[in-house]
């Protein structure tokens, strides 16, 4: 009771009567209210008052029960029809097009990503079941799990014509060969990887082939494409491998031909004496410095070009400036100072 404000006693009793603490309402009352709640979630004043009189409860107790019942989280909707529709589409086609997925999403008022992820997880589930069935087989062996020889021959012929088949072609091949889509897809991925590794493999050429290429390189550093293709057929290899071999061979020769600081000092001193040495002099220098004749010849050409460019820069430091034009005032009239002198 409120002694400070006696006028509020009636209101305090009213609210205390309607306060719910624990399981205040009996179970029979709750069951009856649950049935009425499914019929009408928001009863009016007269209906709540009638229920309060029927169960000998306060009006606020019944009213709060309905309010709390509406605030409870709703059960998730039944998505069984949605999954059944997707399963029916999956049985006909495991990889539907984007338009079909968008149509399904609009029909069932779902996101496109939801429908796409359902098909993705469904395919993964089938793949896991297939692998478990094969592994659980007592007669299972890794060799039996591979593709058969006839299937590999068909896929190899198809790979030679098209290295990147689309999804429709892979599905058609899997249905014709009686294999799963994942096996056929992995075969093409592995086959492309093997072909790439063969191109990148530098030790694939035999010693005899390298000796023959070295002899050709000494005659011609830049062989033509027709020559490389004929060599590829002769040594049972491909054109990119031989092209890369000649490219790396030229790069190796270029790195060896780089001049050190001591060699540059000797050549610079010789250039000051004779900017254009003759062939016998260059041959003698090449033997003394252990460098090729072409390297020294190109060095002297570059040095003469550099000295000529430096001399041009010294003789022509900049463009000459034009004289400034003389400005006359007064539209052709002589200036005031000239008029005074006249």
């Amino acid at each position: 009771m409120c002694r400070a404000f006696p006028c509020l006693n009636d209101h305090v009793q009213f609210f205390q009567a309607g306060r719910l603490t624990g399981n205040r309402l009996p179970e029979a009352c709750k069951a009856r209210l649950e049935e009425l709640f499914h019929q009408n979630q928001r009863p009016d004043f007269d209906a709540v008052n009638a229920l309060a009189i029927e169960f000998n409860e306060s009006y606020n107790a019944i009213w709060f029960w309905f309010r709390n019942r509406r605030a409870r989280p709703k059960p998730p909707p039944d998505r069984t029809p949605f999954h059944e529709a997707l399963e029916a589409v999956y049985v006909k086609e495991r990889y539907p097009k984007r338009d079909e997925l968008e149509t399904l999403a609009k029909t069932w008022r779902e996101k496109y990503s939801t429908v796409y992820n359902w098909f993705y997880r469904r395919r993964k589930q089938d793949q896991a079941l297939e692998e478990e069935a094969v592994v659980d087989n007592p007669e299972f062996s890794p060799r039996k799990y591979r593709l058969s020889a006839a299937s590999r021959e068909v896929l190899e012929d198809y790979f030679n014509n098209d290295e990147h088949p689309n999804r429709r072609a892979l599905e058609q091949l899997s249905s014709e060969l009686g294999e799963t889509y994942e096996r056929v897809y992995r075969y093409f991925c592995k086959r492309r990887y093997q072909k790439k590794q063969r191109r990148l493999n530098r030790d694939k050429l035999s010693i005899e082939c390298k000796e023959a290429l070295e002899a050709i390189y000494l005659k011609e550093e830049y062989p033509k494409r027709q020559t490389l293709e004929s060599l590829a057929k002769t040594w049972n290899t491909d054109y990119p491998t031989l092209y890369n071999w000649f490219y790396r061979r030229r790069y190796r020769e270029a790195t060896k031909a780089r001049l050190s600081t001591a060699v540059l000092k000797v050549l610079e001193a010789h250039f000051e004496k004779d900017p254009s040495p003759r062939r016998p002099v260059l041959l003698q220098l090449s033997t003394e410095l252990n460098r090729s004749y072409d390297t020294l010849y190109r060095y002297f050409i570059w040095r003469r070009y550099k000295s000529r460019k430096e001399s041009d820069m010294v003789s022509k430091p900049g463009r000459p400036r034009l004289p400034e034009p003389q400005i006359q005032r007064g539209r052709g009239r002589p200036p005031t100072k000239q008029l005074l002198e006249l």
Side-chain angles (χ1 to χ4, degrees):
M1 301 298 291
C2 184
R3 298 179 180 179
F5 301 96
C7 60
L8 298 178
N9 292 333
D10 297 338
H11 297 281
V12 171
Q13 291 178 0
F14 176 78
F15 283 107
Q16 286 180 352
R19 187 172 59 190
L20 296 177
T21 57
N23 297 326
R24 190 175 183 279
L25 296 176
E27 295 296 332
C29 178
K30 288 183 179 180
R32 177 61 178 162
L33 293 177
E34 188 72 26
E35 294 177 2
L36 296 173
F37 177 80
H38 290 294
Q39 298 176 4
N40 184 13
Q41 295 185 6
R42 297 180 181 276
D44 55 1
F45 176 81
D46 297 334
V48 173
N49 195 15
L51 289 171
I53 294 171
E54 180 182 353
F55 294 107
N56 193 17
E57 297 288 344
S58 63
Y59 174 87
N60 284 357
I62 304 299
W63 184 84
F64 275 112
W65 187 93
F66 275 94
R67 191 195 69 172
N68 296 336
R69 183 64 182 82
R70 288 192 299 268
R72 290 181 191 174
K74 297 181 181 179
D78 187 13
R79 299 173 65 85
T80 306
F82 172 65
H83 292 164
E84 290 178 354
L86 295 182
E87 187 69 27
V89 176
Y90 178 80
V91 172
K92 298 178 182 178
E93 188 173 6
R94 299 179 65 182
Y95 292 87
K97 294 182 179 179
R98 184 182 180 90
D99 299 338
E100 298 177 3
L101 296 179
E102 290 178 352
T103 305
L104 286 171
K106 289 181 181 178
T107 304
W108 293 98
R109 296 181 180 180
E110 296 286 346
K111 295 181 181 179
Y112 170 80
S113 58
T114 304
V115 180
Y116 177 83
N117 291 333
W118 187 91
F119 278 92
Y120 176 78
R121 290 192 295 270
R122 187 68 178 79
R123 289 192 294 267
K124 288 290 183 182
Q125 183 180 358
D126 283 356
Q127 180 182 353
L129 292 175
E130 290 175 2
E131 292 179 356
E132 288 179 2
V134 173
V135 173
D136 294 340
N137 189 3
E139 299 180 357
F140 167 75
S141 65
R143 191 172 298 277
K144 289 183 179 180
Y145 189 58
R146 298 174 186 171
L147 294 170
S148 61
S151 301
R152 286 199 298 271
E153 289 179 0
V154 174
L155 294 176
E156 185 65 26
D157 295 338
Y158 198 95
F159 179 80
N160 295 330
N161 297 327
D162 186 8
E163 297 182 4
H164 297 271
N166 54 14
R167 189 186 65 195
R168 300 288 181 182
L170 293 177
E171 288 180 353
Q172 186 176 359
L173 283 171
S174 61
S175 61
E176 291 177 358
L177 300 175
E179 300 288 348
T180 60
Y181 172 84
E182 286 76 13
R183 287 191 189 179
V184 179
Y185 175 76
R186 290 174 186 172
Y187 174 84
F188 277 90
C189 292
K190 185 177 180 181
R191 192 66 183 82
R192 288 192 292 268
Y193 177 76
Q194 290 176 354
K195 188 174 182 180
K196 184 179 179 181
Q197 288 299 113
R198 288 178 184 176
R199 291 179 180 176
L200 298 177
N201 189 8
R202 298 183 178 181
D203 298 331
K204 187 173 67 172
L205 300 175
S206 61
I207 299 174
E208 299 175 355
C209 180
K210 290 181 180 180
E211 290 177 355
L213 295 177
E214 188 68 29
I216 295 172
Y217 177 79
L218 295 176
K219 297 178 183 178
E220 187 178 5
E221 295 183 4
Y222 293 88
K224 296 182 180 180
R225 185 184 180 91
Q226 299 175 355
T227 307
L228 294 179
E229 288 178 352
S230 62
L231 287 171
K233 292 179 180 179
T234 303
W235 295 102
N236 192 17
T237 183
D238 51 358
Y239 169 77
T241 303
L242 299 184
Y243 178 83
N244 291 333
W245 187 91
F246 277 92
Y247 175 80
R248 291 193 296 271
R249 185 66 180 82
R250 290 191 295 268
Y251 180 77
R252 203 182 313 136
E253 191 69 23
T255 53
K256 288 182 180 179
R258 291 176 182 173
L259 301 176
S260 61
T261 308
V263 175
L264 289 175
K265 289 181 180 180
V266 174
L267 294 177
E268 188 67 25
H270 198 281
F271 177 80
E272 293 177 357
K273 299 177 182 178
D274 187 6
S276 301
R278 296 188 178 183
R279 183 180 177 86
V281 180
L282 291 178
L283 290 173
Q284 185 178 359
L285 282 173
S286 63
T287 54
E288 292 177 358
L289 302 175
N290 194 15
R291 293 290 184 271
S292 62
Y293 169 82
D294 294 337
T295 304
L296 301 184
Y297 178 74
R298 291 170 186 170
Y299 171 80
F300 278 96
I301 291 176
W302 170 78
R303 192 64 184 83
R304 287 195 295 270
Y305 172 76
K306 185 179 178 181
S307 62
R308 193 182 308 115
K309 197 171 184 179
E310 290 175 354
S311 62
D312 292 343
M313 292 294 292
V314 171
S315 61
K316 299 177 182 179
R319 297 179 61 182
R321 297 183 62 182
L322 297 175
E324 297 181 0
Q326 296 181 359
I327 301 173
Q328 296 183 357
R329 302 176 182 176
R331 296 183 182 180
R333 299 178 184 177
T336 309
K337 188 175 181 180
Q338 296 181 5
L339 289 173
L340 293 173
E341 290 178 357
L342 292 174

